[in-house]
Amino acid sequence: MVPEPLTRLWRSDREIALRAQLRIFARGSGDPTSRFTHEGTVTRAAQTPEGVGTLHLACRAGESLVHAQAWGPGAQWLLESVPALLGDEDDPTGFVAHHDVVAQAWRRFPHWRVPRSGLVLDALVPAVIEQKVTGQEAFAGYRRLVRRYGTPAPGPFPGLMAPPTPSGWAAIPSWAWLQASVDNARSQTVVRAAGYAGRLEEGASVSLAEAHRRLRALPGVGVWTAAEVAQRALGDPDSVSFGDYHVAKDIGWALTGTPVDDEGLAVLLEPYRGHRYRVQHLLGLAGQRRPRRGARMAPRTHLPTRPR
């Protein structure tokens, strides 16, 4: 018998669009830790500081009242995290659209805010798995590992899984990582991060600069990986995904009509400093991506070891 959930009603001062707000947390359409329904509900399973938990959110289109339910030892922690998760701590004051396409995106999504889950390892592990490989390959590998070594999510959601605990990630045998198409460099980074999970999780309660320092001090974590974590766990509105295969090209195309590299991206986004990730995500929400003319990237077989 499924126990009764803990519940919370939270009203924002702005419209809440759950899918737009939280889709960044889904690692592919088959992510076993997340569910997005056509009715607009979102369900997430996670390992919190208080233990495993499941969070179910519902909000009618165009409204601001969020109905939250949570199950498991981490239920209370997850309910308390709802405002930050839905961007309530993000402050867009000072954000000015210097390009028409950015202004248009901001008008379309005026209620989107940078989320803050407060769960660093939850964001770090899939980001490491996604280093230097196609999204398809990374999502499949993460899905396989979570289904095999994760924890069944509390609550009435058959098949929903929470990711492994830090000790669970550290205990995954080397052959299982390889079966999931995760090479030794990336698996060792995850295992190393699991060993420092406590200190990494403290990054959610220190300054952004200190949190980035702790992330970058971990061998195998570069600018791109730290940014991917900061965008989800830390609520950082300025962490751009430099080093991404698509981001610089897409933003360059959106702003100038011509794809650019990371150096060119840095120049284009300099007027937005303090809100550079806000620009990146708003353009993504608005579907501002350059036309894809080539074949999809094939899964890579030779991977660079440079931290990403």
Side-chain angles (χ1 to χ4, degrees):
M1 182 176 179
V2 178
E4 290 296 312
L6 299 183
T7 62
R8 177 180 185 178
L9 290 178
W10 177 72
R11 186 180 295 278
S12 174
D13 60 1
R14 67 188 196 283
E15 177 185 330
I16 296 293
L18 290 175
R19 178 176 289 270
Q21 186 65 43
L22 300 178
R23 193 65 192 178
I24 188 176
F25 290 97
R27 306 293 179 161
S29 59
D31 182 356
T33 71
S34 301
R35 285 187 186 166
F36 294 75
T37 70
H38 295 298
E39 292 75 30
T41 66
V42 176
T43 308
R44 295 190 68 235
Q47 297 290 349
T48 79
E50 303 300 325
V52 66
T54 302
L55 178 66
H56 178 75
L57 301 172
C59 183
R60 292 180 180 176
E63 295 191 0
S64 60
L65 182 62
V66 178
H67 299 254
Q69 297 176 297
W71 293 260
Q76 188 61 48
W77 191 96
L78 287 169
L79 290 180
E80 291 173 359
S81 77
V82 167
L85 183 68
L86 297 180
D88 197 50
E89 296 180 358
D90 177 37
D91 183 4
T93 301
F95 174 58
V96 177
H98 299 284
H99 298 81
D100 287 343
V101 68
V102 176
Q104 292 168 12
W106 188 224
R107 285 195 295 270
R108 283 185 62 189
F109 301 97
H111 308 298
W112 177 81
R113 297 293 183 270
V114 181
R116 183 180 182 279
S117 73
L119 299 173
V120 175
L121 198 68
D122 180 81
L124 177 59
V125 171
V128 171
I129 291 174
E130 291 169 23
Q131 291 175 350
K132 298 296 185 180
V133 296
T134 64
Q136 181 181 19
E137 181 180 349
F139 297 153
Y142 180 69
R143 185 165 61 242
R144 179 171 187 155
L145 291 167
V146 169
R147 285 178 175 164
R148 183 162 189 171
Y149 297 100
T151 305
F157 305 99
L160 190 71
M161 300 289 293
T165 61
S167 60
W169 284 117
I172 296 176
S174 58
W175 55 263
W177 289 103
L178 294 175
Q179 283 186 342
S181 298
V182 180
D183 66 318
N184 289 333
R186 287 178 292 152
S187 64
Q188 288 171 7
T189 298
V190 172
V191 171
R192 193 179 297 115
Y196 288 96
R199 184 160 177 77
L200 290 172
E201 295 296 355
E202 289 173 1
S205 58
V206 300
S207 69
L208 283 172
E210 174 62 14
H212 276 274
R213 188 195 67 78
R214 294 186 186 190
L215 284 167
R216 294 294 306 280
L218 190 70
V221 174
V223 173
W224 180 87
T225 305
E228 293 291 303
V229 174
Q231 294 162 8
R232 295 166 173 82
L234 306 178
D236 188 349
D238 199 47
S239 283
V240 183
S241 300
F242 289 115
D244 191 272
Y245 184 80
H246 294 293
V247 168
K249 299 180 181 70
D250 286 345
I251 295 179
W253 179 85
L255 300 186
T256 70
T258 303
V260 299
D261 58 13
D262 278 350
E263 185 176 350
L265 179 62
V267 173
L268 281 175
L269 292 183
E270 184 57 32
Y272 296 101
R273 183 171 287 277
H275 298 277
R276 292 176 298 175
Y277 169 62
R278 193 182 310 281
V279 173
Q280 174 186 325
H281 197 77
L282 284 171
L283 292 175
L285 285 174
Q288 292 292 336
R289 300 175 179 86
R290 73 195 189 285
R292 306 289 200 261
R293 295 188 175 88
R296 295 176 68 94
M297 285 181 63
R300 303 186 183 205
T301 55
H302 300 286
L303 303 171
T305 58
R306 180 183 177 184
R308 193 175 176 215

